[in-house]
Amino acid sequence: MHTPLMPVEEALSKLLALAEAAPIKDTEQVALAAAEGRVLAHELVSSLDLPPWPNSAMDGYALRLADWTGEPLPVSQRVFAGHSPEPLLPGTCARIFTGAPLPVGADCVEMQENAEVLDDQRVRFTEPLRIGQNIRPQGQETRVGEAVLAAGTRLGPIELGLAASLGCAELTVVRRVKVAVLSTGDELVEPGLPLGPGQIYNSNRRLLGSWLQRLGCEVIDAGILADDLEKTRDCLAGLQEVDLILSTGGVSVGEADYLGIALREEGELSLWKLAIKPGKPLTFGHYKGVPVIGLPGNPASTLVTFGLLTRPYLLRRQGVAEVTPLQFPVPAGFDWPKAGSRREYLRGRLEQGSALIYKNQSSGVLRSAAWAEGLVEVREGHTPGKGDIVQFIPLSELLG
Ligand code: AMP
Ligand code: MG
């Protein structure tokens, strides 16, 4: 009998619901310098106005507009950034530099390019002036008490710069998700060792290991797991302290599905047949209470199912609200004449605004993704030709 394939959206919403049911609740305080890639645990509320006082947006002259009759004004003080000005003497202007506090009494800054210093050192303004020009008002960016970043925000250079501007030295972040990575397969050998007959090098361990690190996870490297039931049981039993066991390989209908057997014995298992290509089979289960995701072993399948399904799951477990990668429509620069029953994620790149695809889209070919800049989505039953619109998901959206 033919069970219908599970659409990508359904698999994703199931995984996100599972993630929400098992949130990482522990938090920790980290210095800003160590917070890159982490997830903010609480809303960040500003404890100050930003800027804290009105200041000049230009190098120039600060004056009170009412004092300006068109006649040149004498300069009564010089105000540098980081210094505190005197109140402005009536009938004068202040020499002022970008970022310097505005003297009390001034309500206008004219840039130096529109000012002429006369022989007697008075300054003549050559252009019309208006109140408030070139002044950054107090609190124009942020007011005291305003929520600036939401809980669940991932902290990157911009968020960390913003937190620094508010004077935060430390942030409270969600504990890292601990992920055990294991690669199943008798054929696998680690790079650096010689290949025996029938063997290949293990690419998924490194692919997932570095990717998880980028996502702020703590990686427990469980190495290669032989296709053997006893070893699978022992391996899983030794991974009870992690938040997720992430394995690759052995989830196709093949006979060597020891992960599935072990999960059935000691926990629960759902085998999903997904309408996704590459990547059809995916396992979700629990081993003695620890969540387990089993991804297909072919490296391009691992890439697509990790990027589109596991990454959002891991982020959501840390409370990240926004887990959908940015995507945008582009014209296809290729013909795809054969409609599929699964949604295809072709490894492609953009050239002159059109999506091109790598010549070999086999799920075993990781080189396709190294060539690519993104995944080109071809929906079930669709046969786009040159110029038809397809969705493009940049790899950069998935990798970070
Ligand atoms: P499996 O899902 O175990 O049947 O594996 C499917 C295909 O992916 C087979 O050709 C495996 O040799 C290959 N494969 C599985 N795991 C890895 C891995 N860690 N690195 C490279 N290839 C793999
Ligand atoms: Mg295998």
Side-chain angles (χ1 to χ4, degrees):
M1 214 191 76
H2 230 52
T3 37
L5 298 175
M6 187 189 293
V8 179
E9 293 85 354
E10 189 183 332
L12 180 60
S13 65
K14 275 180 196 275
L15 281 170
L16 292 180
L18 286 159
E20 281 157 24
I24 308 291
K25 290 197 181 118
D26 308 332
T27 62
E28 56 187 329
Q29 291 271 114
V30 293
L32 281 197
E36 161 72 38
R38 305 298 296 273
V39 176
L40 194 62
H42 313 298
E43 183 175 81
L44 182 66
V45 174
S46 179
S47 59
L48 43 81
D49 282 350
L50 206 63
W53 16 258
N55 68 91
S56 177
M58 291 282 179
D59 290 342
Y61 297 87
L63 65 148
R64 186 195 330 257
L65 193 61
D67 288 349
W68 186 56
T69 58
E71 285 299 300
L73 294 175
V75 176
S76 55
Q77 62 176 317
R78 295 166 76 79
V79 196
F80 296 97
H83 293 246
S84 181
E86 299 294 326
L88 187 67
L89 281 180
T92 72
C93 63
R95 180 76 169 115
I96 195 163
F97 299 92
T98 306
L102 195 72
V104 169
D107 56 15
C108 162
V109 170
E110 179 55 302
M111 58 171 137
Q112 63 194 20
E113 290 79 355
N114 295 339
E116 191 186 332
V117 182
L118 305 180
D119 288 343
D120 63 5
Q121 299 306 308
R122 288 181 311 153
V123 181
R124 184 164 69 201
F125 300 108
T126 54
E127 298 296 321
L129 301 175
R130 76 190 152 72
I131 285 187
Q133 78 177 37
N134 299 322
I135 294 172
R136 305 163 174 161
Q138 175 172 347
Q140 85 164 357
E141 180 170 353
T142 304
R143 290 282 180 191
V144 175
E146 211 176 298
V148 176
L149 293 173
T153 300
R154 294 186 71 203
L155 299 168
I158 294 169
E159 291 74 19
L160 293 174
L162 186 57
S165 75
L166 300 174
C168 301
E170 292 188 329
L171 291 170
T172 309
V173 298
V174 179
R175 165 174 75 68
R176 290 183 192 279
V177 189
K178 250 192 214 181
V179 184
V181 176
L182 57 97
S183 318
T184 75
D186 281 344
E187 73 279 30
L188 301 178
V189 175
E190 288 306 332
L193 297 173
L195 277 184
Q199 295 184 316
I200 58 168
Y201 287 117
N202 180 2
S203 38
N204 290 338
R205 179 190 187 190
R206 202 58 269 131
L207 171 69
L208 293 177
S210 1
W211 202 341
L212 287 161
Q213 259 161 7
R214 280 192 170 204
L215 295 176
C217 300
E218 182 180 340
V219 182
I220 312 294
D221 188 346
I224 293 172
L225 177 58
D227 292 318
D228 175 281
L229 185 56
E230 203 53 46
K231 289 192 176 129
T232 303
R233 284 192 194 115
D234 290 351
C235 173
L236 292 176
L239 298 172
Q240 289 302 290
E241 300 298 311
V242 301
D243 300 305
L244 176 71
I245 297 170
L246 181 62
S247 88
T248 58
V251 290
S252 24
V253 194
E255 281 153 36
D257 181 13
Y258 299 105
L259 182 73
I261 299 171
L263 290 182
R264 270 193 211 96
E265 287 173 353
E266 288 288 349
E268 37 168 313
L269 168 75
S270 317
L271 277 175
W272 297 346
K273 297 236 170 297
L274 306 181
I276 193 172
K277 190 176 178 186
K280 184 160 144 191
L282 191 130
T283 297
F284 188 90
H286 286 92
Y287 189 82
K288 296 186 176 170
V290 179
V292 180
I293 292 180
L295 302 178
N298 272 310
S301 305
T302 304
L303 172 108
V304 167
T305 51
F306 183 86
L308 297 178
L309 298 167
T310 316
R311 174 187 178 274
Y313 167 87
L314 286 168
L315 294 177
R316 186 57 60 82
R317 284 200 62 188
Q318 297 172 79
V320 177
E322 192 45 75
V323 298
T324 313
L326 191 82
Q327 51 179 283
F328 48 86
V330 290
F334 58 90
D335 288 310
W336 195 258
K338 195 165 168 277
S341 58
R342 295 185 274 161
R343 190 168 305 175
E344 304 237 10
Y345 291 95
L346 307 168
R347 276 72 70 212
R349 59 158 74 166
L350 298 179
E351 239 155 68
Q352 291 168 344
S354 293
L356 302 183
I357 55 173
Y358 192 69
K359 56 182 188 275
N360 185 339
Q361 293 288 333
S362 156
S363 59
V365 177
L366 191 56
R367 194 172 166 191
S368 60
W371 177 88
E373 297 165 337
L375 300 176
V376 178
E377 185 188 77
V378 175
R379 298 214 150 213
E380 298 88 317
H382 283 211
T383 52
K386 279 200 187 75
D388 290 341
I389 295 300
V390 289
Q391 291 294 317
F392 188 83
I393 308 170
L395 282 175
S396 56
E397 279 291 301
L398 300 174
L399 289 172

